[in-house]
């Protein structure tokens, strides 16, 4: 029987149900998921022949029960592992396996009648993660050769506990030298000295071999355990190695080719933590300094983190202290920082390039991370990623690849000490999980784009209906592995042979119609909104259904963001629109113009309800989040104003009467006004009576370098950010600020900046759920996206080279960003492929056309073959379906907000008329009269007579004391907009009505 790959893919639905009863299920942590890619009951090696293997088994040079996997590192598609020579019978201490699932899938070809038993797949089924793998993993290959692993040859590798691969492709191998430390030892076991060997991973050649002096590393008592490498350049490198038996850290200088060690009491095992409880069984381990991790290259590798295995504390020390130390230095207590107490002990540690420290939790059978950029103690910032009592017993060592995956080994090491391994079970595993980052050796900003992987992401929006994306991330890039050499057949839950089991991963995502989120590293340029003139600023309404774009000719273009078509063009001003804000119900738009006027526009009719004339330019306007009768105005070189629609206003008090460069914003609920001045001082005033509630400085001292440029609040959550002149974006917690009092001291929860290019930020905003922050560069059309919780740079989006960014806004509900540059609105979104089977499970995709065979009675008026159903169907047919009402969507409302009944979601749009009569106009709607001159098509006609007259706006002259009346709006001096030739885009004035508004792709 021959089965094509297309046929196999078509059977995914049936296979998932079959797989549920065949494979063991793993509980999925809500934050992450993992894949066990290899598993071994016992380790075996790829010997030159079966005769060689049998000979080594016979003479005791190969004892499978004495082989344990500990270290792991990944380079390209090769996984390097270490097998310490703790006991006799370990033929090779440094090994590798080739890992290329893509090639495996490509080799499927035709599947014969033999059942498939070795499977590697991850799928989401109900609330569990299915992860099947072979219990007999691949054979281990010696690296770089058998000769380089020869026992007793001191030029070869004797006992490799760990290794590291730097960004230049060099493997730094730690050779303990002495062997069989957990066996009955003899003098010959201490024959070879400890050494550091550098190998070229592309060829396996030895680059350098360094033997540690006896006064640095003892050849008879050392236990060189783990290593990290700090390479600023190919030559300027330092290595830091832990010695778990002699309780010290060894430092190696690559340029000078010398080493030394330091010691501190924190490197000694804590006798109160020598007991580790794993699955309700106590194990005794008295092990000194063990795990080690290094802060990322973006921080110049400035801090080394370490912990004894027998300790729940995490410690760190400045690498500058280690680099300048002399051999045998005992570090002072002030030099070593206690990062706090963790929930359990750890073995290996590893850092990614964003500053996240990953560690195994031995007592929890899981993996957690710690945000090292946070000022919190370890326990407060510990985040459990994955946990499983079967697969994740004793997470040992970690390693990153260049595609965003974290790898680690689990080896049930607690059983090795007492010879308690059950070799009928899987004992050793290689696990990987997606994190989206690379190792600490790579810069976040200079890092190459991660290889694409197909991931069903966890939704970022808590109020989204619970669908399959809430069950964890599933990596469909981990395709299927078939082992035709295994003769064991797949069995169902009942033990019956399943002759028809084919397990495959669908090549495309099943897009859930309710999925609102996406991983942001896959955001890419989508399209351009072609406005009627040059765009200057933009704002989404509360629900994200409408986008208001202020243009340089004074018009406001309202886009229907669902259809990406122009729904309304409102003539608001005669000069460029500088700021736009929506009212809570979406029926009004507040605009500020460079001619010092502020207007309230009716979105439905297009009329200007009120006009406010200010003596000085207005930089920003903002509607009150809850009360549409109030709005905030930030005039140039003047205190912020709280304005009532009736024309009255209140002045927001200043901290310094001479400092008039004020940036201000309402908080999320409109209870407070946050304002910042040019000296970095932030004031919080109550909207009700303008009393000062809290104040603090974003810098240590008053300085113009910390001038507050903008203040932005998240739509969800209690966070706000401050964009300051020192090019740092500071994120604060609102309750903490309100509780700090006057002249308080508040530390930001995150500081975001471009350490490489020192970019100044033009505009910043939060994502809809407040978990991500987007900042637009003031130098170029580039958008930087950070994850707020950990502060890591997720993505940099680059627009057209040479353009300057004017504005950037984030869709309130979806992972879509709109940016304005050179008068054009660019849309950034995830490129999704439609899969109709997500909407209709019985939908079938055809590779080629097939002839459809009509059933005999398929199109009959009365189906003679139809079975008459029981009574009661008539009643079902009479059920009325409401197609007019709009039910509130929970995801659109905050938990503390009441249901809104009078909200404008969409605008009525008249159909396009190609050849309308010159003097014809549709009659006004008697129920909802709408100015016909502002309909989608007729609004665009230059000489179309309006059926109704424009309503005359109420005009208010705002009087401000000491307002600079001779100042020019900063937008008018923006050369890229001012000097942009209008003819290059569209002619001034209303466009021809016969030309449809459209979206460019």
């Amino acid at each position: 029987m021959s089965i094509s790959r297309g046929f196999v893919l078509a059977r995914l639905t049936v296979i998932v149900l079959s797989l549920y009863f065949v494979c063991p299920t793993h509980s999925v942590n809500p934050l992450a998921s993992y894949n066990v890619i290899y598993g071994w009951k016992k380790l075996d090696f790829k010997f030159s022949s079966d005769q060689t293997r049998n000979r080594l088994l016979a003479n005791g040079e190969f004892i499978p029960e004495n082989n344990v996997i500990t270290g792991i590192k990944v380079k390209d598609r090769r996984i390097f592992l270490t097998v310490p020579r703790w006991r006799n019978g370990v033929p090779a201490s440094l090994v590798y396996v080739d890992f290329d699932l893509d090639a495996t899938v490509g080799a499927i070809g035709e599947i014969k009648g033999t059942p498939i038993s070795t499977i590697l797949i991850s799928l989401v089924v109900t609330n569990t993660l299915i992860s099947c793998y072979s219990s007999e993993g691949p054979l281990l290959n010696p690296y770089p050769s058998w000769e380089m692993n020869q026992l007793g040859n001191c030029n070869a590798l004797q006992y490799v506990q760990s290794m590291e691969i730097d960004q230049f492709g060099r493997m730094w191998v730690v050779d303990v030298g002495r062997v069989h430390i957990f066996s009955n030892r003899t003098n010959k076991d201490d024959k070879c000295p400890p050494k550091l060997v550098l190998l070229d991973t592309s060829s396996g050649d030895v680059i350098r071999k360094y033997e540690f002096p006896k006064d640095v590393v003892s050849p008879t008592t050392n236990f060189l355990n783990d290593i990290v490498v700090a390479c600023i350049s190919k030559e300027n490198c330092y290595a830091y190695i832990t010695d778990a038996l002699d309780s010290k850290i060894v430092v190696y200088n690559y340029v000078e080719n010398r080493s030394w060690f330091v010691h501190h009491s924190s490197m000694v095992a804590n006798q109160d933590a020598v007991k580790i409880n794993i699955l309700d069984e106590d194990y005794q381990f008295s092990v000194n300094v063990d795990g080690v991790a290094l802060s990322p290259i973006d921080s110049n590798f400035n801090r080394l983190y370490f912990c004894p295995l027998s300790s729940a504390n995490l410690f760190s020390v400045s690498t500058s202290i280690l680099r300048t130390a002399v051999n045998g230095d005992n570090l002072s207590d002030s030099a070593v920082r206690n990062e706090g107490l963790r929930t359990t002990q750890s073995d290996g540690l590893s850092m990614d390039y964003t500053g996240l420290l990953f560690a195994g939790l031995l007592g929890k059978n899981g993996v957690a991370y710690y945000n090292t950029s946070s000022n919190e103690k370890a326990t407060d910032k510990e985040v459990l990623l994955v946990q499983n009592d079967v697969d994740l017993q004793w997470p040992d060592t970690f390693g990153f690849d260049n595609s965003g995956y974290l790898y680690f080994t689990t080896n049930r090491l607690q059983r090795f000490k007492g010879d308690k391994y059950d070799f009928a079970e899987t004992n050793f595993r290689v696990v990987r999980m997606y994190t989206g980052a690379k190792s600490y050796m790579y810069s976040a900003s200079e890092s190459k784009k991660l290889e694409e992987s197909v991931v069903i992401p966890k939704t970022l929006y808590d109020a989204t209906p619970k669908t399959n994306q809430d069950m964890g991330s599933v990596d469909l890039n981990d395709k299927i592995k078939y082992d035709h050499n295994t003769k064991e057949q797949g069995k169902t839950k009942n033990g019956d042979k399943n002759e028809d089991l084919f397990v495959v991963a669908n090549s495309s995502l099943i897009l859930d119609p309710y999925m609102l989120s996406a991983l942001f590293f896959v955001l890419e340029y989508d399209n351009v909104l072609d406005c009627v003139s040059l765009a200057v600023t933009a704002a989404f309404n509360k629900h994200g259904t409408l986008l208001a774009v202020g243009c340089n000719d004074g018009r406001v273009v309202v886009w229907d963001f669902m259809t990406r078509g122009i729904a309304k063009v409102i003539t608001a001003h005669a000069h460029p629109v500088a700021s736009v804000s929506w009212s809570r119900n979406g029926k009004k738009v507040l605009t500020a113009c460079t001619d010092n006027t502020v207007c309230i526009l009716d979105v439905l009719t297009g009329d200007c309800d009120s006009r406010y004339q200010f003596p000085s330019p207005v930089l920003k306007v903002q509607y009150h989040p809850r009360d549409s009768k109030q709005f905030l105005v930030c005039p140039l070189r003047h205190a912020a104003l709280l304005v009532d629609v009736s024309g009255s206003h209140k002045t927001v008090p200043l901290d310094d009467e001479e400092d008039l460069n004020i940036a201000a914003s309402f908080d999320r609920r409109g209870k407070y006004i946050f304002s910042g001045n040019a000296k970095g001082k932030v004031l919080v005033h109550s909207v009700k009576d303008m009393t000062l509630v809290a104040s603090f400085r974003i810098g240590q001292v008053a300085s113009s370098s910390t001038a507050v440029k903008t203040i932005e609040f998240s739509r969800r959550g209690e966070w706000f950010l401050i964009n300051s002149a020192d090019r740092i974006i500071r994120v604060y917690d609102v309750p903490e600020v309100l509780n700090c009092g006057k002249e308080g001291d508040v530390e930001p929860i995150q500081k975001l900046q471009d350490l490489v290019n020192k970019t100044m930020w033009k505009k910043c905003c939060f994502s809809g759920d407040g978990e991500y922050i987007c900042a637009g560069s003031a130098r170029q059309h580039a958008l930087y996206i950070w994850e707020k919780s950990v502060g890591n740079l997720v993505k940099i989006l680059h627009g057209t080279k040479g353009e300057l960014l004017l504005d950037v806004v984030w869709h309130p509900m979806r992972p879509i960003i709109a940016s304005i540059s050179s008068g054009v609105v660019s849309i950034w979104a995830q490129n999704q492929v439609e899969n109709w089977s997500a909407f209709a499970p019985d939908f079938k995709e055809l590779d080629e056309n097939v002839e459809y065979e009509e059933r005999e009675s398929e199109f009959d008026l009365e189906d003679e073959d139809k079975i008459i159903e029981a009574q009661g169907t008539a009643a079902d047919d009479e059920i009325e379906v409401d197609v007019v009402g709009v039910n509130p969507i929970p995801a659109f409302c905050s938990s503390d907000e009441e249901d809104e009944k009078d909200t404008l979601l969409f605008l009525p749009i008249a159909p396009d008329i190609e050849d309308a009569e010159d003097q014809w106009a549709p009659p006004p709607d008697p129920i909802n009269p709408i100015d016909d001159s502002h309909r989608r098509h007729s609004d665009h006609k230059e000489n179309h007579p309006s059926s109704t007259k424009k309503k005359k706006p109420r005009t208010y002259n705002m009087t401000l004391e000491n307002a600079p009346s001779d100042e020019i709006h900063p937008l008018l001096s923006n050369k890229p907009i001012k000097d942009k030739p209008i003819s290059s885009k569209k002619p001034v004035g209303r466009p021809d009505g016969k030309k449809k508004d459209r979206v460019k792709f």
Side-chain angles (χ1 to χ4, degrees):
M1 181 178 66
S2 176
I3 301 176
S4 65
R5 183 184 299 182
F7 175 78
V8 174
L9 291 175
R11 304 195 57 181
L12 176 62
T13 305
V14 178
I15 297 314
V16 171
L17 298 177
S18 302
L19 187 62
Y20 181 72
F21 298 102
V22 177
C23 303
T25 59
H26 301 155
S27 62
V28 177
N29 183 284
L31 297 179
S33 63
Y34 66 89
N35 302 118
V36 179
I37 59 177
Y38 291 130
W40 295 266
K41 295 177 181 178
K42 293 181 183 179
L43 300 182
D44 203 350
F45 294 78
K46 188 175 183 180
F47 297 98
S48 57
S49 64
D50 290 340
Q51 292 79 5
T52 302
R53 182 179 186 277
N54 293 333
R55 176 176 56 82
L56 296 178
L57 283 170
N59 62 23
E61 294 183 42
F62 177 38
I63 305 175
E65 293 80 5
N66 289 350
N67 288 258
V68 178
I69 285 177
T70 57
I72 183 172
K73 290 296 179 287
V74 181
K75 174 65 175 175
D76 299 326
R77 284 293 185 174
R78 178 165 286 185
I79 299 178
F80 297 93
L81 303 167
T82 63
V83 185
R85 281 190 169 116
W86 287 335
R87 292 176 178 169
N88 299 313
V90 180
S93 191
L94 180 61
V95 298
Y96 74 90
V97 292
D98 284 323
F99 176 55
D100 194 345
L101 289 176
D102 293 334
T104 307
V105 173
I108 293 176
E110 296 182 350
I111 304 174
K112 304 299 181 183
T114 305
I116 301 160
S117 61
T118 304
I119 302 165
L120 177 63
I121 188 170
S122 293
L123 291 173
V124 171
V125 177
T126 66
N127 199 22
T128 59
L129 174 69
I130 297 178
S131 181
C132 295
Y133 55 92
S134 171
S135 59
E136 298 298 333
L139 299 177
L140 304 179
N141 301 276
Y143 188 80
S145 63
W146 281 113
E147 291 74 15
M148 274 296 293
N149 283 271
Q150 183 180 1
L151 182 62
N153 179 6
C154 293
N155 291 321
L157 301 173
Q158 298 304 293
Y159 159 22
V160 179
Q161 178 74 25
S162 62
M163 74 288 189
E164 181 63 284
I165 301 176
D166 65 21
Q167 62 267 49
F168 306 104
R170 299 174 299 191
M171 180 185 292
W172 300 59
V173 183
V174 177
D175 188 353
V176 176
R178 66 195 195 101
V179 295
H180 308 154
I181 61 177
F182 295 146
S183 300
N184 295 323
R185 308 185 70 252
T186 61
N187 291 333
K188 68 176 183 179
D189 293 332
D190 295 334
K191 174 183 176 181
C192 298
K195 58 183 178 289
L196 181 64
V197 181
L198 271 70
L199 301 175
D200 186 344
T201 55
S202 62
S203 63
D205 296 337
V206 177
I207 300 174
R208 176 180 293 187
K209 188 183 299 180
Y210 173 80
E211 294 184 2
F212 291 100
K214 294 182 180 180
D215 62 340
V216 177
V217 178
S218 170
T220 59
T221 63
N222 88 85
F223 193 138
L224 297 179
N225 191 284
D226 205 352
I227 179 175
V228 289
V229 178
C231 288
I232 299 298
S233 65
K234 193 170 184 178
E235 297 297 326
N236 185 12
C237 296
Y238 284 84
Y240 305 93
I241 308 168
T242 57
D243 190 333
L245 197 56
D246 291 336
S247 63
K248 59 189 179 185
I249 292 178
V250 179
V251 183
Y252 171 72
N253 187 325
Y254 182 83
V255 175
E256 300 177 4
N257 197 30
R258 68 182 184 93
S259 61
W260 58 95
F261 78 89
V262 296
H263 172 77
H264 187 260
S265 59
S266 60
M267 302 176 189
V268 180
N270 183 353
Q271 294 306 309
D272 294 333
V274 296
K275 182 174 68 175
I276 303 176
N277 185 276
I278 300 176
L279 297 179
D280 297 327
E281 189 172 350
D282 291 337
Y283 300 89
Q284 299 289 329
F285 287 91
S286 181
V287 181
N288 299 317
V289 61
D290 183 287
V292 64
L294 198 59
S295 61
I297 188 174
D298 286 342
S299 65
N300 293 320
F301 305 115
N302 64 353
R303 201 144 199 94
L304 186 78
Y305 295 83
F306 64 90
C307 65
L309 188 145
S310 302
S311 175
N313 287 89
L314 179 67
F315 302 95
S316 69
V317 61
S318 171
T319 53
S320 62
I321 295 176
L322 300 179
R323 293 194 302 267
T324 57
V326 297
N327 193 41
D329 269 0
N330 192 10
L331 301 178
S332 64
D333 292 339
S334 61
V336 178
R337 179 195 300 168
N338 187 344
E339 298 291 343
L341 191 68
R342 296 165 297 154
T343 57
T344 183
Q345 300 93 327
S346 298
D347 192 341
L349 305 175
S350 187
M351 187 84 69
D352 71 4
Y353 65 24
T354 67
L356 292 187
L357 176 65
F358 293 86
L361 302 181
L362 301 183
K364 291 186 175 181
N365 300 323
V367 174
Y369 75 80
Y370 308 86
N371 182 7
T372 58
S373 62
S374 171
N375 294 325
E376 298 175 334
K377 291 296 183 181
T379 304
D380 298 328
K381 56 187 176 184
E382 181 178 286
V383 179
L384 179 65
L385 286 177
V386 290
Q387 189 276 333
N388 187 279
D389 290 338
V390 177
D391 293 339
L392 305 185
Q393 289 186 40
W394 203 285
D396 196 312
T397 311
F398 298 83
F400 289 88
D401 66 7
N402 288 338
S403 301
Y405 286 93
L406 172 69
Y407 294 73
F408 58 94
T409 57
T410 65
N411 50 27
R412 300 187 175 185
L413 198 58
Q414 76 276 10
R415 299 187 180 184
F416 177 81
K417 186 177 180 180
D419 295 325
K420 296 181 180 180
Y421 275 126
D422 183 356
F423 292 104
E425 300 177 351
T426 301
N427 295 297
F428 315 108
R429 294 172 173 85
V430 172
V431 185
R432 82 169 186 170
M433 58 185 296
Y434 195 86
T435 65
K438 298 202 292 188
S439 81
Y440 63 95
M441 298 182 186
Y442 295 88
S443 171
S445 58
E446 296 176 355
S447 175
K448 295 181 180 179
K449 182 179 180 180
L450 298 178
E451 298 176 7
E452 290 188 1
S453 61
V454 186
V455 176
I456 297 178
K458 176 185 179 295
T459 179
L460 303 177
Y461 302 94
D462 297 334
T464 306
K466 298 298 181 184
T467 53
N468 61 343
Q469 71 268 25
D470 294 308
M471 301 172 189
S473 299
V474 179
D475 180 13
L476 298 184
N477 195 34
D478 289 348
K479 302 184 179 68
I480 323 323
K481 181 175 181 181
Y482 297 91
D483 188 354
H484 297 282
N485 298 322
T486 307
K487 296 183 179 180
E488 179 184 357
Q489 294 181 347
K491 294 178 182 285
T492 65
K493 188 176 182 181
N494 297 324
D496 299 329
K497 294 180 181 179
N498 187 357
E499 298 287 348
D500 203 21
L501 177 61
F502 302 99
V503 183
V504 296
N506 198 346
S507 59
S508 62
L509 279 176
I510 301 175
L511 297 181
D512 193 301
Y514 295 102
M515 184 178 292
L516 300 180
S517 65
L519 295 179
F520 292 102
F521 58 81
V522 297
L523 279 181
E524 58 186 26
Y525 180 79
D526 187 11
N527 57 61
V528 171
L529 300 183
D530 188 12
C531 295
V532 295
S533 58
L534 300 184
V536 177
T537 185
F540 282 104
N541 68 346
K542 178 184 175 182
H543 301 275
T545 56
L546 300 174
L547 175 68
V549 180
C551 301
N552 74 326
D553 60 0
R555 288 186 285 186
V556 175
V557 180
V558 180
W559 285 83
D560 187 321
F561 208 73
M562 297 299 181
T563 63
R564 303 288 175 92
I566 295 179
K568 177 80 71 173
V569 179
I570 304 175
T571 303
H573 305 273
H575 297 278
V577 178
S579 181
V580 176
S581 178
W582 287 85
S583 64
R584 179 177 175 81
N585 59 14
K587 294 185 176 182
K588 305 290 183 181
V589 169
L590 183 67
T591 61
C593 179
T594 57
D595 62 359
N596 305 354
T597 60
V598 173
C599 291
I600 296 179
L601 307 177
D602 190 303
V603 179
L604 274 174
T605 64
D607 292 332
C608 177
D609 291 345
S610 303
R611 186 184 303 273
Y612 306 85
Q613 183 68 49
F614 287 84
S616 59
V618 177
L619 303 179
K620 173 187 174 180
V621 289
Q622 181 187 9
Y623 253 123
H624 191 286
R626 302 295 175 89
D627 185 3
S628 297
K629 295 182 179 181
Q630 289 183 318
F631 57 90
L632 185 67
V633 177
C634 295
L636 179 65
R637 297 189 56 79
H638 193 276
L641 305 173
L642 179 62
V643 182
D644 189 270
V645 293
S646 62
S648 61
H649 68 272
K650 299 179 183 178
T651 302
V652 180
L654 297 171
D655 178 67
D656 185 354
E657 295 295 336
E658 297 181 357
D659 188 356
L660 300 175
N661 294 317
I662 301 299
S665 175
F666 285 113
D667 73 330
R668 186 166 70 92
R669 295 181 178 86
K671 293 182 179 179
Y672 305 99
I673 295 177
F674 285 65
S675 61
N677 60 23
K679 296 181 180 179
K681 185 72 171 289
V682 178
L683 306 178
V684 183
H685 292 91
S686 172
V687 171
K688 185 177 181 180
D689 53 10
M690 288 299 167
T691 57
L692 181 63
V693 177
S695 64
F696 67 97
R697 293 191 183 275
I698 64 174
Q700 298 296 328
V701 295
S703 173
S704 60
S705 62
T706 57
V708 177
K709 298 172 62 178
T710 57
I711 300 176
E712 302 288 341
F713 281 80
S714 62
R715 183 178 180 274
R716 294 182 179 274
E718 299 291 342
W719 307 290
F720 71 97
L721 64 84
I722 295 178
N723 177 21
S724 57
D726 60 0
R727 310 181 185 193
I728 299 177
I729 302 170
R730 295 170 173 85
V731 185
Y732 293 90
D733 182 71
V734 174
E736 183 179 358
V737 170
L738 295 178
N739 294 330
C740 76
K742 301 176 182 178
E743 302 297 332
D745 185 12
V746 182
E747 286 294 326
I749 60 176
Q750 291 294 349
K751 288 184 178 181
L752 311 175
Q753 58 182 318
D754 183 357
L755 294 173
V756 178
N757 301 315
K758 302 297 181 182
T759 302
M760 183 174 292
W761 310 112
K762 176 70 174 180
K763 175 69 181 301
C764 307
C765 60
F766 281 93
S767 61
D769 63 342
E771 293 300 325
Y772 291 83
I773 293 172
C774 178
S777 171
R779 299 177 178 174
Q780 57 182 332
H781 190 182
L783 307 178
Y784 292 67
I785 301 175
W786 290 274
E787 187 176 0
K788 176 189 64 61
S789 60
V790 293
N792 62 309
L793 182 65
V794 178
K795 181 74 174 179
I796 302 177
L797 304 172
H798 294 281
T800 305
K801 188 175 181 180
E803 294 182 349
L804 292 181
L805 187 74
L806 291 179
D807 199 2
V808 57
V809 289
W810 199 308
H811 193 283
M813 301 308 304
R814 301 171 60 191
I816 297 176
I817 299 173
S819 62
I820 298 179
S821 179
S822 298
V824 176
V825 181
S826 300
I827 303 299
W828 307 84
Q830 184 187 19
N831 186 17
Q832 295 180 341
V833 179
E834 290 183 350
N835 190 335
W836 290 100
S837 60
F839 301 89
D842 57 346
F843 183 84
K844 296 181 180 179
E845 296 183 5
L846 303 178
D847 295 333
E848 57 184 19
N849 292 332
V850 296
E851 184 176 354
Y852 180 74
E853 296 182 2
E854 177 186 344
R855 298 195 308 273
E856 181 178 356
S857 60
E858 183 173 2
F859 296 103
D860 293 350
L861 294 178
E862 295 182 1
D863 191 351
E864 299 175 356
D865 300 329
K866 184 178 180 180
I867 300 176
I868 302 176
E869 298 180 355
Q871 295 181 355
T873 56
D876 296 337
D877 295 339
E878 296 176 359
I879 297 177
E880 295 184 0
V881 179
D882 182 11
V883 295
V884 179
V886 179
N887 295 326
I889 302 175
F892 287 174
C893 302
S894 300
S895 59
D896 62 329
E897 296 178 5
E898 69 282 356
D899 294 336
E900 297 179 358
K901 300 180 181 179
D902 191 24
T903 301
L904 178 65
L905 296 179
F906 303 98
L907 288 176
I909 302 175
D912 292 325
I913 304 174
E914 296 294 339
D915 297 315
E917 297 181 11
D918 292 339
Q919 301 299 324
W920 181 87
D925 189 339
I927 300 177
N928 296 311
I930 299 176
D931 188 351
D932 294 86
S933 64
H934 292 278
R935 290 185 181 269
R936 176 181 174 86
H937 176 76
S938 58
D939 173 69
H940 295 173
K941 285 184 171 294
E942 194 69 42
N943 299 317
H944 188 284
S946 177
S947 59
T948 59
K949 293 183 179 180
K950 282 278 188 179
K951 184 175 71 173
K952 187 176 181 180
R954 297 182 296 272
T955 303
Y956 303 92
N957 290 320
M958 310 298 292
T959 303
L960 305 180
E961 295 183 5
N962 302 322
S965 58
D966 55 346
E967 293 283 351
I968 300 177
H969 199 286
L971 192 62
L972 297 179
S973 61
N974 192 332
K975 293 183 179 180
I977 290 296
K978 183 178 179 180
D979 299 339
K980 182 78 176 180
I982 298 178
S983 59
S984 65
K985 283 290 177 183
K986 286 194 175 184
V988 178
R990 298 183 181 274
D992 187 1
K994 296 183 180 181
K995 214 175 225 183
K996 296 181 181 179
D997 300 318
R998 62 191 184 278
V999 178
K1000 285 186 179 179
F1001 293 96

